[in-house]
Amino acid sequence: MTHQDMSTQVDRATTAAQGAATRAGDHPVIEWGARLGYAASGVLHLVIAWLAVQIATGSGGQASQSGALAAVAHQPFGLFLLWVLAIGFALLAIWQVTELFTAREAFDKAKAGGKAVMYAALSYTSFVFALGGHTSSNKQTQDFTHTLMDAPAGRVLIGVVGLGVIGIALYHVYKGWKQKFLSDLQEHPGRWAVVAARVGYIGKGIALLAVGVLFIAAAFHHQVGKTTGLDGALKSLRDLLAGQAILIGVALGLAAYGIYSFARARYARV
């Protein structure tokens, strides 16, 4: 087989895979599931915002994904809602996988791949709680950091992760400030949704910025215990000068992002 024949077969296989991904992404079940997943994200962000307010007021709580799901589990109809969240996140992850195959730009492919992993992890965690289990986002983050720290040039790797998270945080702020989120939607969602999105993306960006800073601090000081994900980041904000006000502001931002997620569930380009 010549090099040209091999290249032709690869092109055909790629085209076939893209066609299959496009058909899958356009399937009504996947489209409906993606919208359900965005609504599930809205629920999760609203609960995390509520937990962040509790931290700001000294009422305790764990403002993380697992903390939010644990809070949901203790509510009336919590088990039913957990199953809905798990299914929604799973279908949204599948839709992101189809985007991974159909996207043309490398950045869009990377973004779709990252989101697919994130939503798959959220789905798995939701299933764990729905089945009566328990997991801790804080411990998962610390275990991940321990693994990196034990690797060659581990502190450098942790620092790189921190810089990556900071990059994502700054992108969130930029996306909210410049209203780039409108390109994710098939039509204008209305003024209230735009305001919620702008506040939400910027607030979430600030929270992620704190997460990234904690990773870099862990790398610099060789202290894995500093990396406890979003919960640790929010608690570090509380400890700053005027930290309570800052944390409540971030909580409002996370709540606004949750509200926008419901609008995105309706208007998303899927």
Side-chain angles (χ1 to χ4, degrees):
M1 181 180 296
T2 65
H3 176 75
Q4 184 176 359
D5 291 338
M6 292 181 62
S7 178
T8 301
Q9 288 190 358
V10 170
D11 289 341
R12 288 176 178 173
T14 301
T15 301
Q18 290 176 339
T22 300
R23 290 191 296 274
D26 291 339
H27 194 282
V29 173
I30 300 300
E31 179 181 339
W32 173 83
R35 297 187 188 281
L36 177 62
Y38 285 127
S41 178
V43 172
L44 193 66
H45 279 85
L46 287 175
V47 177
I48 292 176
W50 173 62
L51 293 173
V53 171
Q54 287 189 314
I55 292 174
T57 57
S59 302
Q62 184 184 122
S64 62
Q65 295 164 351
S66 61
L69 293 172
V72 169
H74 289 90
Q75 303 306 312
F77 306 106
L79 182 61
F80 169 77
L81 185 55
L82 283 171
W83 280 107
V84 172
L85 293 176
I87 294 170
F89 285 133
L91 291 172
L92 185 52
I94 293 172
W95 181 74
Q96 290 292 347
V97 171
T98 68
E99 288 291 287
L100 175 62
F101 284 98
T102 58
R104 296 184 178 181
E105 301 294 332
F107 174 77
D108 292 333
K109 288 181 178 292
K111 186 167 66 171
K115 287 184 176 181
V117 172
M118 178 185 71
Y119 289 126
L122 285 173
S123 177
Y124 170 77
T125 305
S126 300
F127 274 122
V128 168
F129 279 95
L131 293 171
H134 180 76
T135 184
S136 171
S137 298
N138 289 355
K139 187 176 185 303
Q140 289 172 350
T141 303
Q142 286 184 333
D143 290 344
F144 170 72
T145 310
H146 266 296
T147 300
L148 287 182
M149 190 72 79
D150 293 338
R155 294 174 67 178
V156 174
L157 292 175
I158 293 173
V160 169
V161 170
L163 290 175
V165 174
I166 289 174
I168 294 172
L170 295 177
Y171 176 73
H172 272 71
V173 174
Y174 168 76
K175 188 172 183 177
W177 185 257
K178 293 293 186 178
Q179 301 185 39
K180 294 295 183 180
F181 51 84
L182 291 175
S183 63
D184 298 330
L185 310 178
Q186 59 189 10
E187 61 181 281
H188 198 284
R191 183 179 178 183
W192 69 269
V194 170
V195 172
R198 295 191 74 182
V199 174
Y201 271 102
I202 293 172
K204 187 173 181 178
I206 294 172
L208 290 174
L209 183 64
V211 174
V213 169
L214 286 184
F215 269 102
I216 292 177
F220 186 78
H221 296 291
H222 206 278
Q223 294 179 342
V224 174
K226 288 183 175 291
T227 55
T228 51
L230 181 61
D231 179 63
L234 295 178
K235 288 175 179 175
S236 70
L237 289 176
R238 179 196 57 191
D239 296 336
L240 298 175
L241 183 65
Q244 186 180 46
I246 294 172
L247 185 51
I248 290 177
V250 171
L252 290 175
L254 292 171
Y257 187 90
I259 292 171
Y260 164 70
S261 295
F262 293 116
R264 189 173 185 180
R266 177 180 177 183
Y267 295 105
R269 193 186 303 275
V270 296

